[in-house]
Amino acid sequence: MKLVWTPDTALKAYVCTIKTCENFIESSVAELLSAMAAGWNAKLIVESWSKGGPIATSIGLAVAAHHTCGRHVCVVPDEGSRSEYVKTMHVAGMLETEVLVGEVEEVMAGLVGVDFLVVDCKRRDFLRFLRLAKLSPKGAVLACKNAFQKSAAGFRWHGALARGTRVVKTVFLPVGQGLDMAHIGSHSGSESSKRGPSRWIRHIDQKSGEEHVFRG
């Protein structure tokens, strides 16, 4: 099996996220990631977050998980971050939040079969999240937001992931503070030979009006 794109689910999550996040910073990133996670029918969506960070992406991923009947998990470094995250999500109307606190190695070891992973390049440990992620055998989508950060200078997908991880394709989008994404192939067979026709995904930044089109 491998990830299968479902455009109807992507559109529903996208529209719902626009309505929910219209007053938040980073809403364009949230809308895109929500549509991607929902479109790929992700069942285990994991993200990293730390105190003081924008909440829009979290809302978008929670919306996606609702549409896929999946699980959205946020990993935070300490109790202070957990408390602020839960409070902010509740204010936004997201009452069902799953938050894990602890070191990256400990937390990621218990999250098996990740379909969709979002890490923040502002966190110094974002590379550890990528390297330690236990990805789904059917494939996964990985996203690095705030990719213009100095901490992400010289970043390369092939050098960041665990040995043997098969990167099918990558794309860098000038959305928000930079969004670097990678599609990881399934464990069985050749993704390039089995994959169907590429689909064009269209995203319009609600604030700037800019249109971004890339292959899904």
Side-chain angles (χ1 to χ4, degrees), residues 8 36 100 111-112 140 142 171 190 203:
D8 290 344
M36 292 290 287
L100 298 180
L111 296 171
V112 180
L142 312 180
V171 61
S190 172
H203 173 259

Side-chain angles (χ1 to χ4, degrees), residues 16-27:
C16 185
T17 303
I18 288 177
K19 293 178 180 179
T20 309
C21 295
E22 59 183 353
N23 295 322
F24 287 91
I25 298 173
E26 211 179 44
S27 62

